[in-house]
Amino acid sequence: MSRKSRSAPDQAQDIQADDEIEYVSKSQMKRDVEALQDLGVELIGLSKLQLKKLDLPDALLVAIKDAQKITANGAIKRQRQYIGRLMRDIDPAPIQALLDSLRGDNDKQNAWLHQLERTRDELVADDKAVAKLIEEHPQIDIQQLRTMVRNARAERAAQKPPKHFRSLFQFLKELYPEPALLATSDDENEDDEEDDE
């Protein structure tokens, strides 16, 4: 009997196919599933308005609302596992971005808030900063800005609670928009379609 040997190109294709396969251990798969379940459990603590921002599938939204009503330990455990199962079918990136934003873990949001604080401190410390802000944003209400800065300075000098200092910060928040959360893949696709038109 003659044994058919495989040619070198066939062996090379098999080796290349083996290199393309990504092996994932059972332990890693379990960790991934548990991470999704933990993310789903964090959703239980969100308000209706915050959940609405996420645009979750109906089944997941109903499961989360049900979990918010459950008080029995065994039932809540089963409901959390169910939410984890539903989480496997959705993209977790926008959810994680919103949760990070709510916790203040988002780097972009932190940088934005720090920039607002620096700008506010500069405005209170120096009239040149006020003139620079007016020059950069000619549409702002100059009288309101100067009144707020003057009140914040007087407040600081009198060591009063920082009411005007905070209102100046809110004014700056309206002037400089908050950085957007991560866009979902659907949003990116819609943007691409609009560019094509």
Side-chain angles (χ1 to χ4, degrees), residues 119-185:
T119 303
R120 176 187 59 189
D121 292 342
E122 290 169 4
L123 291 173
V124 172
D126 190 7
D127 284 330
K128 291 179 184 176
V130 175
K132 181 181 175 188
L133 185 70
I134 293 169
E135 183 181 310
E136 290 174 359
H137 302 280
Q139 78 281 6
I140 63 174
D141 185 349
I142 298 169
Q143 184 176 359
Q144 180 187 11
L145 173 65
R146 290 188 179 189
T147 301
M148 291 168 66
V149 169
R150 185 176 55 248
N151 290 341
R153 287 175 181 167
E155 190 175 72
R156 181 177 274 180
Q159 296 182 346
K160 291 185 176 181
K163 176 184 173 188
H164 297 289
F165 196 65
R166 289 183 184 138
S167 64
L168 181 58
F169 185 78
Q170 294 303 318
F171 179 81
L172 292 172
K173 276 177 82 170
E174 291 174 13
L175 187 61
Y176 296 104
E178 183 175 3
L181 297 174
L182 292 174
T184 61
S185 57

Side-chain angles (χ1 to χ4, degrees), residues 26-46:
K26 284 185 178 180
S27 299
Q28 182 60 45
M29 288 190 291
K30 186 175 181 180
R31 283 191 295 271
D32 292 344
V33 167
E34 288 174 353
L36 283 175
Q37 183 175 339
D38 291 343
L39 190 62
V41 168
E42 286 186 61
L43 294 175
I44 296 171
L46 298 181

